[in-house]
Amino acid sequence: MPNTAKPPAPGNASLEKGLALFNRIAQDHGQTPLKTLAADMGLPRSTLYRLTGALEQAGLIARLRHRHYTIGLPLAQALHGITPAGQLALLCRPALRQLARACGAAAHLGVMENDMVTYLVKENAATLPAGFSISRENTQLEAYCSGIGKVLLAWLPEAERARYLAGGPFVAMTERTITDPQRLRQTLESVQAQQFARDDGEIADDLYCLAVPLWAGGQPPTAAISLSFPRHAHQPQDDSSHLARLRACAAQLSAQIFP
Amino acid sequence: MPNTAKPPAPGNASLEKGLALFNRIAQDHGQTPLKTLAADMGLPRSTLYRLTGALEQAGLIARLRHRHYTIGLPLAQALHGITPAGQLALLCRPALRQLARACGAAAHLGVMENDMVTYLVKENAATLPAGFSISRENTQLEAYCSGIGKVLLAWLPEAERARYLAGGPFVAMTERTITDPQRLRQTLESVQAQQFARDDGEIADDLYCLAVPLWAGGQPPTAAISLSFPRHAHQPQDDSSHLARLRACAAQLSAQIFP
DNA sequence: ATGAATAGTCCCATATAGTGGGACTATGCC
DNA sequence: GGCATAGTCCCACTATATGGGACTATTCAT
């Protein structure tokens, strides 16, 4: 499902090369000497210098001393206040709003920060009781008992996950909360196997939730989206259709957001 | 001295157009419809769409809904932690270090923040007594009694300057500090006329300082650089050579930093 | 709902515009 | 001092971007 290798896109090789060069420079803030870049990108030096010249004129990069490039001041100014989390929320909100409406549920986008889940987007369907679900945007919740948290924990590198599991204690939010590290580990394994997570009243008594990861081109996911329903109204047979919609939304967002 | 209009730079019209487009989009975060951009840039729509496509693939921009573009997530991630002030300091430090050495002085770069001067760079010549001058990087000082502060106040829009002058009181740091708003206004006028500011022991008894603005292509300056000496060792006849060096440095930086 | 207006996509013959080899200078390093 | 690497410049060639126009998708007003 990852690797959304788009077609070659004809008609602007030059721009593409320039932008690829910019990305290389932006990645390590210009630590790599151009000679290396030339080798990596298979371009002659004269071309590279022409490209850097254009990037510099446009203010995207600036030179400091020999061999050292940086992000240009104009670009830094234009992007002041832009954060990865903010952009992620901006880009995902429309699709999540639509998803929430289509499923009559609450849709969330969350990422992991300091072993807690941070909710970046929350969109409630109009049909839900006002104020449904305890979450709020830009607030944090424990990871071990939320759908999004379980998804992100499930794909953590093993060392990280072990550290998290050892870090307890896991406080029970409801009588269904999983508090035993061993059982939590098993749950995470099945999350990875089934490619989705479920929270069946583990965080609040009347909350049922399904969550799936957002894939960033082959990398382990760092963001996940979820659908939440009032648990008392939940029909098990609805799960498959909700999961399908959730996955479709995740696939679309993954492709849209990560080039 | 502003308007460092560089030569046409032949050989990459395509890249230039693409980057110009990106800058337009980055400026207003994609609020402007492409039709308007097409008119502004004198390019046919089909070309613009090809360019946006390339920018999108490279991760610099992303689309959200129709007519709305944003900074792409990959770019936001790559530039996480980059701030205008940080880049400005990075770009200016080498030249300031050299300037400090050449003049046997302390060289500063400062900007205005909340009516105070924030020092972004401080470079002391090795020949100065260790710990010379009270300033430290990333700390603030009153604007009305420092060289850099006077320069930035002098070029403030009149409304802003009037507000600042009305905002007193101006506390005397030494017996030479200018504390009368009317006298301060006159001083600022002469700063603008002479294109440099002097602080003759107004902030500390043994501190003499010359400051000039950095020009960002015709805009009123938002940053300034200065040279500071121990006042007791100051020879009036040295001023002109120091000023010349200071101005040369400012011109070089202005050209280098602002495209 | 229906239609008009605008956004976005695709195609292709043409010549414009980028290419890269190489010769050259500047700069930094030993 | 001299060597190695960074950065600049030039130019004939052809790969490459161009833009007109036909077409579809989406949005908005009525």
Side-chain angles (χ1 to χ4, degrees):
Chain A
M1 214 111 322
N3 242 356
T4 327
K6 300 186 182 176
N12 34 9
S14 162
L15 221 198
E16 265 174 44
K17 285 174 197 167
L19 297 180
L21 175 59
F22 169 72
N23 278 331
R24 287 293 313 254
I25 293 176
Q27 270 172 33
D28 60 5
H29 297 199
Q31 297 306 300
T32 313
L34 279 191
K35 193 184 187 185
T36 311
L37 293 182
D40 286 8
M41 309 180 62
L43 291 174
R45 296 179 329 122
S46 62
T47 298
L48 277 200
Y49 283 113
R50 224 163 7 86
L51 296 179
T52 54
L55 291 172
E56 194 180 353
Q57 274 207 0
L60 298 216
I61 63 173
R63 333 170 67 134
L64 55 132
R65 299 195 59 178
H66 282 253
R67 306 183 42 147
H68 288 276
Y69 291 81
T70 307
I71 302 303
L73 190 58
L75 180 59
Q77 286 170 335
L79 266 57
H80 190 216
I82 298 278
T83 70
Q87 289 308 97
L88 189 59
L90 203 57
L91 289 165
C92 292
R93 172 164 278 113
L96 288 176
R97 174 168 301 167
Q98 199 179 317
L99 180 68
R101 194 173 305 170
C103 297
H108 288 96
L109 164 72
V111 297
M112 193 75 99
E113 269 176 9
N114 302 322
D115 287 349
M116 304 270 288
V117 171
T118 301
Y119 288 105
L120 298 178
V121 173
K122 170 182 184 176
E123 287 288 341
N124 268 18
T127 53
L128 286 174
F132 168 71
S133 128
I134 43 176
S135 65
R136 291 214 328 268
E137 286 189 9
N138 300 312
T139 58
Q140 296 197 307
L141 233 60
E142 290 292 348
Y144 61 91
C145 51
S146 74
I148 287 178
K150 285 186 199 169
V151 165
L152 296 175
L153 288 173
W155 271 278
L156 232 44
E158 171 53 29
E160 284 285 301
R161 182 168 42 246
R163 186 189 52 70
Y164 179 88
L165 289 169
F170 302 108
V171 180
M173 313 287 282
T174 73
E175 57 186 15
R176 301 170 135 265
T177 306
I178 301 174
T179 57
D180 173 43
Q182 197 51 40
R183 240 194 91 209
L184 184 53
R185 171 180 286 278
Q186 286 165 8
T187 307
L188 296 181
E189 278 164 10
S190 92
V191 165
Q192 203 176 141
Q194 302 185 246
Q195 301 268 315
F196 79 94
R198 187 196 320 263
D199 160 20
D200 188 9
E202 295 160 39
I203 206 169
D205 278 320
D206 193 27
L207 197 66
Y208 181 86
C209 165
L210 298 170
V212 302
L214 251 41
W215 291 96
Q219 301 291 4
T222 57
I225 61 176
S226 70
L227 280 173
S228 307
F229 312 86
R231 186 160 169 263
H232 71 262
H234 171 251
Q235 309 287 347
Q237 66 269 27
D238 290 344
D239 268 17
S240 66
S241 83
H242 287 146
L243 249 184
R245 282 201 230 246
L246 194 55
R247 283 183 163 139
C249 182
Q252 184 223 312
L253 285 176
S254 300
Q256 176 195 344
I257 291 172
F258 309 100
Chain B
M1 215 112 319
N3 244 356
T4 326
K6 299 186 181 176
N12 33 10
S14 165
L15 221 198
E16 266 174 44
K17 286 175 196 166
L19 298 180
L21 175 61
F22 169 73
N23 279 332
R24 287 293 313 252
I25 294 176
Q27 269 172 33
D28 59 5
H29 295 199
Q31 297 305 302
T32 313
L34 278 191
K35 193 183 188 186
T36 311
L37 293 183
D40 286 8
M41 309 180 63
L43 291 175
R45 296 179 329 125
S46 62
T47 298
L48 276 201
Y49 283 112
R50 224 163 8 85
L51 296 179
T52 54
L55 291 172
E56 194 180 352
Q57 276 207 359
L60 298 217
I61 64 174
R63 333 170 68 133
L64 55 133
R65 297 195 58 179
H66 283 254
R67 306 182 42 148
H68 287 276
Y69 290 81
T70 310
I71 302 304
L73 190 58
L75 180 58
Q77 286 171 334
L79 266 55
H80 191 216
I82 300 277
T83 70
Q87 290 306 98
L88 189 59
L90 203 57
L91 290 164
C92 292
R93 172 163 277 114
L96 288 176
R97 175 169 301 167
Q98 199 178 317
L99 180 67
R101 194 172 307 169
C103 298
H108 289 95
L109 165 72
V111 296
M112 193 75 100
E113 270 176 10
N114 303 321
D115 287 350
M116 304 270 287
V117 170
T118 301
Y119 288 105
L120 298 178
V121 172
K122 170 181 184 177
E123 287 288 341
N124 269 17
T127 53
L128 287 174
F132 167 71
S133 127
I134 45 177
S135 65
R136 292 213 326 268
E137 285 187 10
N138 300 312
T139 59
Q140 296 196 307
L141 233 59
E142 291 292 348
Y144 60 90
C145 52
S146 73
I148 287 178
K150 285 188 200 168
V151 165
L152 296 176
L153 288 174
W155 270 279
L156 231 44
E158 171 53 30
E160 283 284 300
R161 182 169 41 248
R163 186 190 52 69
Y164 179 87
L165 288 170
F170 302 108
V171 181
M173 313 288 282
T174 73
E175 56 186 15
R176 302 169 133 266
T177 306
I178 301 175
T179 57
D180 173 43
Q182 198 50 40
R183 241 193 92 209
L184 185 53
R185 172 180 286 279
Q186 286 164 8
T187 307
L188 295 181
E189 278 163 10
S190 92
V191 165
Q192 205 178 138
Q194 302 186 246
Q195 301 267 314
F196 78 93
R198 186 196 320 263
D199 160 20
D200 189 8
E202 295 159 38
I203 205 167
D205 278 320
D206 194 26
L207 197 66
Y208 181 87
C209 165
L210 298 169
V212 301
L214 251 42
W215 292 96
Q219 301 291 5
T222 57
I225 61 176
S226 71
L227 280 172
S228 308
F229 312 85
R231 184 158 170 265
H232 73 263
H234 171 249
Q235 309 286 345
Q237 66 270 26
D238 290 344
D239 268 16
S240 66
S241 84
H242 287 145
L243 249 184
R245 282 202 230 245
L246 194 54
R247 285 183 161 139
C249 183
Q252 184 223 312
L253 285 176
S254 300
Q256 177 195 344
I257 291 172
F258 308 100

